Amino acid sequence: MRVKMELAGGTIKGALSWSFLTEFLIKLLQPLSHFLLMLFLAPSEFGIMTSAFVLTSFAQIFWEGGLTKELIRRDEEVEAAANIAFYANVSIATFIYLIAVNLPESLFARFAGGEQISDVVSVMAIYILLGSLCSVHVALLQKKMDFKNWSKIKLTVAILTPSISVPLAYLGYGVWSLVIGAVIGQAAQVLISWFVSDWRPALRFGNAKLAFEMARFCFWVTLSSLLVWFYAWADSLIVGVYFGTEELGIYRSASVIAAAGFGILFAPILPVLYSAISANKSSENLALTAKFVISIIIYIAVPLAWALFSLADILEATFLNEEWAGFGAVFSLLVLMHGYSWIVGVNGEFYRSLGRPEIETVVTGAGIAVYLTGYLLAARFGFDLFLQTRLGLALVFLMLHIVVLGNVVNVDIKNIFSQIILVSFASASIFGAMNFLLQEMLPIIQFMAIGLSLAMVLAVILFLEKNGLLLMVRQFQESS
């Protein structure tokens, strides 16, 4: 018997619709606007902005990580918990803001254009403060599964930011077009969040016992988020230090666009997935949900990664100028890395829904020394080896994440690995053959051939795995 799962803000189905539509549009707008900006800005200007985002993303851990996750998960004393989260977020953001505006220029001396990076960081510190003022409002909307208002916030920012940055870049404002767009977009998010949400902070912090309970949960989530930050930004930091802002701009731009296709497809499920599995934490439901979600990601992400891998050099030759030479080579390796990484991209949502965020912390922490050592050693021997090492390490630790999830959520590990091997072999074979046959063809024919190849791969997978997919769908529907 199917049970209609319902929370305060609406049904899971309705929430998923709003979430998917919003995230789809956001993930579509981000790479498109980024690509437009690449037509008007030099790689070094993206490199300078990336250097500043290393700091702002670090601060964002605290207002989007532990406290807001705890607020969404919590069933009791929500009002008091929201107050604690709000004042704690603002206090932390203020502290980081004061540090950011007083950082010595010598800190950025290893980067080309270090003086300009220092100026950009000082202005972007405002972005940090603004983010802390609306994080609780957004989290409460997500908790109630009020994704209609949540969508208004996210879409407005996603549209407003490039609407400001692209014209300014065209007019010659350089890196400041990115800074101004980001800050105004964040300010708009604050205003809209306070307008659509009826929650207001009370003039009291809350009781110490509750704050301690939240802190205990948040410690592990925040520590895990710090490790995630390392995995997301340490590579960019090392590229900037060893190779300069121009290579950093190419590297980060390739990474943003490489991640975009997967983000369009899979990011929309994350807000709803966490809320949904937090509402139904039975071991059977978690296992079935994990099996279903991971299988779907494998069947879509891996073929898409190989398709985009095949398009890398064509994209560079067709759309970019000489300043962006080498973009295709970087993009081809990063798109494989992002595609395969998404297979375990939802693991943390299952751990946090169980109230065990420390699992993700331990797993990601286990590899931090290996990653850092690999990055630093590879960087000494050149940019190409660094890129290859980045992909290799991601694939090795993909296996570790699968093993841990299988033991925690009771998912069949052998089945996951067999799916990955089957889909990878089919994808690499078909796309490899198509690339060999069409090397000298016009770009438009190559684009069409790669699209046809993707359809062929998906058809082969559907034919081979049809029975298994139908069984998973039935099981998932019965448990939801």
Side-chain angles (χ1 to χ4, degrees), residues 241-456:
V241 170
Y242 277 86
F243 306 111
T245 51
E246 183 172 343
E247 284 77 6
L248 176 57
I250 292 174
Y251 179 83
R252 194 65 194 175
S253 295
S255 185
V256 168
I257 296 174
F262 308 104
I264 289 171
L265 295 172
F266 305 125
I269 71 173
L270 294 181
V272 177
L273 179 63
Y274 181 71
S275 298
I277 58 181
S278 293
N280 184 359
K281 305 184 186 74
S282 70
S283 58
E284 181 182 3
N285 180 65
L286 286 176
L288 288 172
T289 302
K291 178 183 177 182
F292 179 76
V293 172
I294 291 172
S295 296
I296 294 300
I297 291 174
I298 292 171
Y299 293 140
I300 297 175
V302 174
L304 180 60
W306 283 100
L308 293 173
F309 174 88
S310 302
L311 282 171
D313 291 334
I314 307 171
L315 288 172
E316 179 187 332
T318 305
F319 296 107
L320 299 177
N321 59 36
E322 294 178 357
E323 284 186 306
W324 291 92
F327 175 86
V330 178
F331 178 83
S332 63
L333 292 178
L334 290 181
V335 79
L336 289 179
M337 186 272 294
H338 281 290
Y340 280 90
S341 295
W342 259 106
I343 295 172
V344 292
V346 298
N347 286 22
E349 308 303 319
F350 290 99
Y351 303 146
R352 284 187 286 271
S353 69
L354 289 169
R356 299 188 62 189
E358 72 276 6
I359 297 175
E360 186 180 31
T361 305
V362 172
V363 175
T364 52
I368 195 168
V370 178
Y371 268 95
L372 186 58
T373 302
Y375 288 165
L376 292 173
L377 287 175
R380 294 177 180 272
F381 295 95
F383 194 35
D384 290 340
L385 183 60
F386 176 85
L387 292 170
Q388 294 161 10
T389 302
R390 179 77 180 91
L391 173 60
L393 289 171
L395 294 176
V396 169
F397 279 90
L398 166 69
M399 294 185 285
L400 175 62
H401 282 283
I402 292 172
V403 170
V404 173
L405 180 72
N407 284 279
V408 174
V409 186
N410 196 28
V411 178
D412 187 348
I413 298 171
K414 291 182 180 179
N415 184 60
I416 293 176
F417 281 121
S418 66
Q419 289 173 339
I420 294 172
I421 293 170
L422 170 66
V423 177
S424 297
F425 178 77
S427 301
S429 300
I430 292 176
F431 284 113
M434 192 66 72
N435 283 342
F436 178 76
L437 294 172
L438 299 173
Q439 290 181 40
E440 304 300 325
M441 295 292 182
L442 293 172
I444 184 64
I445 296 176
Q446 291 178 313
F447 276 113
M448 293 172 62
I450 291 171
L452 178 61
S453 299
L454 180 59
M456 290 171 59

Side-chain angles (χ1 to χ4, degrees), residues 53 56-57 60 63 97 122-132 157 179 181-187:
F53 262 125
T56 57
S57 64
Q60 197 166 351
W63 75 69
Y97 169 83
S122 296
V123 177
M124 284 297 291
I126 300 171
Y127 181 96
I128 297 171
L129 275 178
L130 292 170
S132 69
V157 175
V179 176
V183 172
I184 293 178
Q186 190 76 308

